[in-house]
Coordinates of all heavy atoms in Angstrom, one line a residue:
M97 N -83.9 -72.2 39.9 CA -84.8 -71.5 40.8 C -86.2 -71.7 40.2 O -86.4 -71.5 39.0 CB -84.5 -70.0 40.8 CG -83.2 -69.7 41.5 SD -83.4 -69.6 43.3 CE -84.3 -68.0 43.4
N98 N -87.1 -72.1 41.1 CA -88.5 -72.3 40.7 C -89.3 -71.2 41.3 O -88.9 -70.5 42.3 CB -89.0 -73.7 41.1 CG -88.2 -74.8 40.5 OD1 -87.8 -74.7 39.4 ND2 -88.0 -75.8 41.3
S99 N -90.5 -71.0 40.8 CA -91.5 -70.1 41.4 C -90.9 -68.7 41.6 O -90.9 -68.1 42.6 CB -92.1 -70.6 42.7 OG -92.7 -71.8 42.5
L100 N -90.2 -68.2 40.5 CA -89.6 -67.0 40.6 C -90.5 -65.8 40.9 O -91.7 -65.8 40.4 CB -88.8 -66.7 39.3 CG -87.6 -67.6 39.1 CD1 -87.1 -67.6 37.6 CD2 -86.4 -67.2 40.0
N101 N -90.1 -64.8 41.6 CA -90.9 -63.7 41.9 C -90.0 -62.4 41.7 O -88.8 -62.5 41.5 CB -91.5 -63.7 43.3 CG -90.5 -63.8 44.4 OD1 -89.7 -62.9 44.6 ND2 -90.4 -65.0 45.0
S102 N -90.6 -61.3 41.8 CA -89.9 -60.0 41.5 C -88.7 -59.8 42.4 O -87.7 -59.2 42.0 CB -90.8 -58.8 41.6 OG -91.4 -58.7 42.9
E103 N -88.7 -60.4 43.6 CA -87.6 -60.2 44.5 C -86.4 -61.0 44.1 O -85.3 -60.8 44.7 CB -88.0 -60.6 45.9 CG -89.1 -59.6 46.5 CD -89.4 -59.9 48.0 OE1 -88.7 -60.9 48.6 OE2 -90.2 -59.2 48.6
D104 N -86.5 -61.9 43.2 CA -85.4 -62.7 42.7 C -84.7 -61.9 41.6 O -83.6 -62.4 41.1 CB -85.9 -64.0 42.1 CG -86.5 -64.9 43.2 OD1 -85.9 -65.0 44.3 OD2 -87.6 -65.5 42.9
T105 N -85.2 -60.8 41.1 CA -84.5 -60.0 40.1 C -83.1 -59.5 40.7 O -83.1 -58.9 41.7 CB -85.3 -58.8 39.7 OG1 -86.5 -59.2 39.0 CG2 -84.5 -57.9 38.8
A106 N -82.1 -59.9 40.0 CA -80.7 -59.6 40.5 C -79.7 -60.1 39.5 O -80.0 -60.8 38.5 CB -80.4 -60.3 41.8
V107 N -78.5 -59.6 39.7 CA -77.4 -60.2 39.0 C -76.9 -61.4 39.8 O -76.6 -61.2 41.0 CB -76.2 -59.2 38.7 CG1 -75.1 -59.9 38.0 CG2 -76.7 -58.1 37.9
Y108 N -76.8 -62.5 39.2 CA -76.4 -63.8 39.9 C -74.9 -64.1 39.5 O -74.5 -64.1 38.4 CB -77.3 -64.9 39.5 CG -78.6 -64.9 40.2 CD1 -79.6 -63.9 39.7 CD2 -79.0 -65.7 41.2 CE1 -80.8 -63.8 40.3 CE2 -80.2 -65.6 41.8 CZ -81.1 -64.7 41.4 OH -82.4 -64.6 42.0
Y109 N -74.2 -64.4 40.6 CA -72.7 -64.6 40.4 C -72.4 -66.0 40.9 O -72.9 -66.5 41.9 CB -71.9 -63.6 41.3 CG -72.1 -62.2 40.9 CD1 -73.1 -61.4 41.4 CD2 -71.3 -61.6 39.9 CE1 -73.2 -60.0 41.1 CE2 -71.4 -60.3 39.5 CZ -72.4 -59.5 40.1 OH -72.5 -58.2 39.7
C110 N -71.6 -66.6 40.1 CA -71.0 -67.9 40.5 C -69.6 -67.6 41.1 O -68.9 -66.7 40.7 CB -70.8 -68.8 39.2 SG -70.0 -70.4 39.5
A111 N -69.3 -68.4 42.1 CA -68.1 -68.2 42.9 C -67.5 -69.6 43.3 O -68.2 -70.5 43.5 CB -68.3 -67.3 44.1
A112 N -66.2 -69.6 43.4 CA -65.5 -70.8 43.8 C -64.6 -70.5 45.0 O -64.0 -69.4 45.1 CB -64.7 -71.4 42.7
T113 N -64.5 -71.4 45.9 CA -63.7 -71.3 47.1 C -62.7 -72.5 47.1 O -63.0 -73.5 46.6 CB -64.5 -71.3 48.4 OG1 -63.7 -71.3 49.5 CG2 -65.5 -72.5 48.4
V114 N -61.6 -72.2 47.7 CA -60.6 -73.3 47.9 C -61.1 -74.3 48.9 O -60.6 -75.4 49.0 CB -59.2 -72.7 48.4 CG1 -58.7 -71.8 47.3 CG2 -59.4 -72.0 49.7
N115 N -62.1 -73.9 49.7 CA -62.7 -74.9 50.6 C -63.4 -76.0 49.8 O -64.0 -75.7 48.7 CB -63.7 -74.2 51.5 CG -63.1 -73.3 52.5 OD1 -63.1 -72.0 52.2 ND2 -62.6 -73.7 53.6
R116 N -63.4 -77.2 50.3 CA -64.1 -78.3 49.6 C -65.5 -78.4 50.1 O -66.3 -79.0 49.4 CB -63.3 -79.6 49.9 CG -62.0 -79.7 49.2 CD -61.3 -81.0 49.4 NE -60.0 -81.0 48.7 CZ -59.9 -81.6 47.5 NH1 -60.9 -82.1 46.9 NH2 -58.7 -81.6 46.9
Q117 N -65.8 -77.9 51.3 CA -67.2 -78.0 51.8 C -67.9 -76.7 51.6 O -67.3 -75.6 51.4 CB -67.2 -78.5 53.2 CG -66.5 -79.8 53.5 CD -67.0 -80.9 52.6 OE1 -68.2 -81.0 52.4 NE2 -66.2 -81.8 52.2
T118 N -69.2 -76.7 51.7 CA -70.0 -75.5 51.5 C -69.7 -74.4 52.5 O -69.5 -74.7 53.7 CB -71.5 -75.8 51.5 OG1 -71.8 -76.4 52.8 CG2 -71.8 -76.7 50.4
V119 N -69.6 -73.2 52.1 CA -69.4 -72.0 52.9 C -70.4 -70.9 52.4 O -70.8 -70.9 51.2 CB -68.0 -71.4 52.9 CG1 -67.1 -72.5 53.6 CG2 -67.5 -71.1 51.5
V120 N -70.8 -70.1 53.3 CA -71.8 -69.0 52.9 C -71.2 -67.6 53.0 O -71.9 -66.7 52.5 CB -73.0 -69.1 53.8 CG1 -73.7 -70.5 53.7 CG2 -72.7 -68.8 55.3
D121 N -70.0 -67.5 53.5 CA -69.4 -66.1 53.6 C -68.7 -65.8 52.3 O -67.8 -66.5 51.9 CB -68.4 -66.2 54.8 CG -67.9 -64.8 55.1 OD1 -68.0 -63.9 54.3 OD2 -67.3 -64.6 56.2
D122 N -69.1 -64.8 51.7 CA -68.5 -64.4 50.4 C -67.1 -64.0 50.5 O -66.3 -64.1 49.5 CB -69.3 -63.3 49.7 CG -69.4 -62.0 50.4 OD1 -68.9 -61.9 51.5 OD2 -70.1 -61.1 49.9
R123 N -66.6 -63.7 51.7 CA -65.2 -63.3 51.9 C -64.3 -64.6 51.8 O -63.1 -64.4 51.6 CB -65.0 -62.7 53.2 CG -65.7 -61.3 53.4 CD -65.6 -60.8 54.8 NE -66.3 -61.7 55.7 CZ -66.4 -61.5 57.0 NH1 -65.8 -60.4 57.5 NH2 -67.1 -62.3 57.8
L124 N -64.9 -65.7 51.8 CA -64.2 -67.0 51.7 C -64.1 -67.5 50.3 O -63.5 -68.6 50.1 CB -64.8 -68.0 52.7 CG -64.8 -67.6 54.2 CD1 -65.4 -68.8 55.0 CD2 -63.3 -67.4 54.6
Y125 N -64.7 -66.8 49.4 CA -64.6 -67.3 48.0 C -63.5 -66.6 47.3 O -63.3 -65.4 47.4 CB -66.0 -67.0 47.3 CG -67.0 -68.1 47.7 CD1 -67.7 -67.9 48.9 CD2 -67.2 -69.2 46.9 CE1 -68.7 -68.9 49.2 CE2 -68.2 -70.1 47.2 CZ -68.9 -70.0 48.4 OH -69.8 -71.0 48.8
N126 N -62.8 -67.3 46.4 CA -61.6 -66.8 45.8 C -61.7 -66.4 44.4 O -60.9 -65.6 43.9 CB -60.5 -67.9 45.9 CG -60.3 -68.4 47.4 OD1 -60.9 -69.5 47.7 ND2 -59.5 -67.7 48.1
Y127 N -62.7 -67.0 43.7 CA -62.9 -66.7 42.3 C -64.3 -66.4 42.0 O -65.2 -67.0 42.5 CB -62.5 -68.0 41.4 CG -61.1 -68.5 41.8 CD1 -60.9 -69.6 42.6 CD2 -59.9 -67.9 41.2 CE1 -59.7 -70.0 42.9 CE2 -58.7 -68.3 41.5 CZ -58.5 -69.4 42.4 OH -57.3 -69.9 42.7
W128 N -64.5 -65.4 41.1 CA -65.9 -64.9 40.8 C -66.1 -64.8 39.3 O -65.1 -64.4 38.6 CB -66.1 -63.6 41.4 CG -66.2 -63.7 42.9 CD1 -65.1 -63.6 43.8 CD2 -67.3 -63.7 43.7 NE1 -65.5 -63.7 45.1 CE2 -66.9 -63.8 45.1 CE3 -68.7 -63.8 43.5 CZ2 -67.8 -63.9 46.1 CZ3 -69.6 -63.8 44.5 CH2 -69.1 -63.9 45.8
G129 N -67.3 -65.1 38.8 CA -67.6 -64.8 37.5 C -68.1 -63.4 37.3 O -68.2 -62.6 38.3
Q130 N -68.5 -63.1 36.1 CA -68.9 -61.7 35.8 C -70.4 -61.5 36.1 O -70.8 -60.3 36.2 CB -68.7 -61.3 34.4 CG -67.2 -61.3 34.0 CD -66.6 -62.6 33.7 OE1 -67.2 -63.4 32.9 NE2 -65.5 -63.0 34.3
G131 N -71.2 -62.5 36.3 CA -72.6 -62.4 36.6 C -73.5 -62.6 35.4 O -73.1 -62.3 34.3
T132 N -74.7 -63.0 35.7 CA -75.7 -63.1 34.7 C -77.0 -62.5 35.2 O -77.4 -62.8 36.4 CB -75.9 -64.6 34.2 OG1 -76.9 -64.6 33.2 CG2 -76.4 -65.4 35.4
Q133 N -77.6 -61.7 34.5 CA -78.8 -60.9 34.9 C -80.0 -61.8 34.8 O -80.3 -62.4 33.8 CB -79.0 -59.7 34.0 CG -80.3 -58.9 34.4 CD -80.2 -58.2 35.7 OE1 -79.2 -57.5 36.0 NE2 -81.2 -58.3 36.5
V134 N -80.8 -61.8 35.9 CA -82.1 -62.5 35.9 C -83.1 -61.4 36.3 O -83.0 -60.7 37.3 CB -82.2 -63.6 37.0 CG1 -83.6 -64.1 37.1 CG2 -81.2 -64.7 36.6
T135 N -84.1 -61.2 35.4 CA -85.1 -60.2 35.6 C -86.5 -60.9 35.6 O -86.8 -61.6 34.6 CB -85.1 -59.2 34.5 OG1 -83.8 -58.5 34.5 CG2 -86.2 -58.1 34.8

């Protein structure tokens, strides 16, 4: 992420889906990390 601003403050999570192509619905993701805080 470039040009970060205050609205980017969040916990960021990595997720994996059994789909091979990109999906945007979080309900379709099967595995999740614990998150990393960006402030």
